[in-house]
């Protein structure tokens, strides 16, 4: 009997409860599921590739048939390298479907033997995306119900560092402008 390996590609920046829902359900369908973190040079991620990989490895350690890997380039080329016969993709809304259908058709054109399997997330995650998690966190909202506890902690740590850096820059800018203001008063 043929072993079916699937890849679940994405940026996972950060991993969400929706991602974990698909990973758990995908692990029940495929013999092996590879969570493939895309290295996308066009995006400025919140978390580095090693940070995302470590989070996902920790979050998926109980799934014996799931492993985490990284890749860049075309999904079809990566799938061929790892001998995957399927790509798992999540679809939250009609807008996702249009984009994902276009990608699936292009992947089929490039690699006809590679199948795309679409899964709907659990209803409670149907609105959830990494982008929304980042936006809520950046605006000071709670993300505790959107991501696993480990991820929420890592996001808080990142945001604390970013806010401290931003506050330090603002204080430095304020001190610089006050210094210039004082020097102008002395000259006058």
């Amino acid at each position: 009997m043929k072993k079916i390996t699937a890849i679940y590609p994405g940026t996972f920046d950060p991993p969400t409860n929706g991602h974990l829902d698909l990973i758990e359900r995908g692990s029940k369908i495929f013999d092996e599921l590879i969570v493939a973190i895309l290295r996308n040079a066009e995006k400025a991620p919140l978390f580095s590739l090693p940070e995302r990989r470590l989070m996902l490895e920790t979050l998926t350690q109980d799934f014996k048939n799931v492993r985490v890997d990284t890749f860049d380039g075309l999904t079809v080329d990566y799938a061929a390298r790892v001998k995957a016969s399927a790509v798992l993709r999540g679809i939250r809304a009609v807008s996702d479907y249009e984009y994902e259908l276009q990608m699936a058709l292009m992947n089929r054109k490039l690699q006809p033997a590679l199948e795309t399997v679409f899964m709907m997330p659990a209803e409670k995650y149907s609105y959830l995306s990494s982008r929304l998690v980042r936006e809520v966190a950046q605006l000071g909202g709670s993300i505790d119900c959107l991501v696993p506890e480990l991820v929420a902690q890592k996001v808080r740590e990142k945001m604390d560092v970013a806010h401290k850096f931003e506050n330090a820059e603002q204080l430095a800018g304020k001190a610089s402008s006050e210094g210039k203001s004082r020097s102008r008063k002395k000259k006058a």
Side-chain angles (χ1 to χ4, degrees):
M1 192 165 198
K2 183 180 175 186
K3 177 181 163 185
I4 299 176
T5 298
I7 59 172
Y8 177 29
T11 53
F12 305 100
D13 185 40
T16 69
N17 289 334
H19 292 134
L20 289 181
D21 174 54
L22 286 184
I23 291 168
E24 179 179 0
R25 291 170 45 221
S27 73
K28 295 173 184 173
I29 295 171
F30 302 107
D31 297 307
E32 179 183 26
L33 180 62
I34 302 169
V35 179
I37 308 168
L38 175 64
R39 180 181 303 128
N40 189 341
E42 294 176 13
K43 290 187 177 182
L46 177 62
F47 291 99
S48 70
L49 204 57
E51 288 172 322
R52 287 178 275 159
R53 183 176 189 155
L54 184 59
M55 281 189 282
L56 281 163
E57 286 174 341
T58 302
L59 295 168
T60 61
Q61 66 188 355
D62 292 337
F63 302 112
K64 301 305 175 207
N65 64 333
V66 174
R67 69 180 170 99
V68 180
D69 197 7
T70 62
F71 78 104
D72 53 14
L74 292 173
T75 300
V76 294
D77 291 341
Y78 176 74
R81 278 196 307 275
V82 297
K83 297 179 177 36
S85 56
V87 177
L88 174 62
R89 298 299 299 160
I91 297 181
R92 296 173 302 232
V94 173
S95 57
D96 281 351
Y97 179 74
E98 291 172 4
Y99 172 78
E100 293 295 343
L101 177 63
Q102 184 179 25
M103 294 301 295
L105 292 173
M106 179 55 75
N107 287 343
R108 183 182 293 163
K109 180 75 172 166
L110 297 171
Q111 182 54 260
L114 186 64
E115 294 293 339
T116 300
V117 176
F118 296 118
M119 287 183 77
M120 302 295 292
E123 188 177 323
K124 61 185 174 182
Y125 305 127
S126 62
Y127 63 91
L128 187 55
S129 71
S130 293
R131 180 187 54 78
L132 283 175
V133 168
R134 289 191 308 271
E135 287 178 14
V136 169
Q138 287 168 343
L139 295 171
S142 173
I143 59 169
D144 292 340
C145 62
L146 307 176
V147 296
E149 185 179 327
L150 166 73
V151 176
Q153 179 61 38
K154 298 288 185 189
V155 170
R156 279 192 289 275
E157 289 169 8
K158 285 276 185 188
M159 294 297 161
D160 285 347
V161 169
H163 287 298
K164 287 176 185 174
F165 181 73
E166 185 178 286
N167 289 340
E169 281 187 328
Q170 288 174 351
L171 288 173
K174 186 177 179 181
S176 174
S177 66
E178 286 175 359
K180 289 177 185 177
S181 177
R182 283 189 209 119
S183 68
R184 280 189 225 123
K185 287 179 182 176
K186 286 181 184 177
K187 289 180 183 176

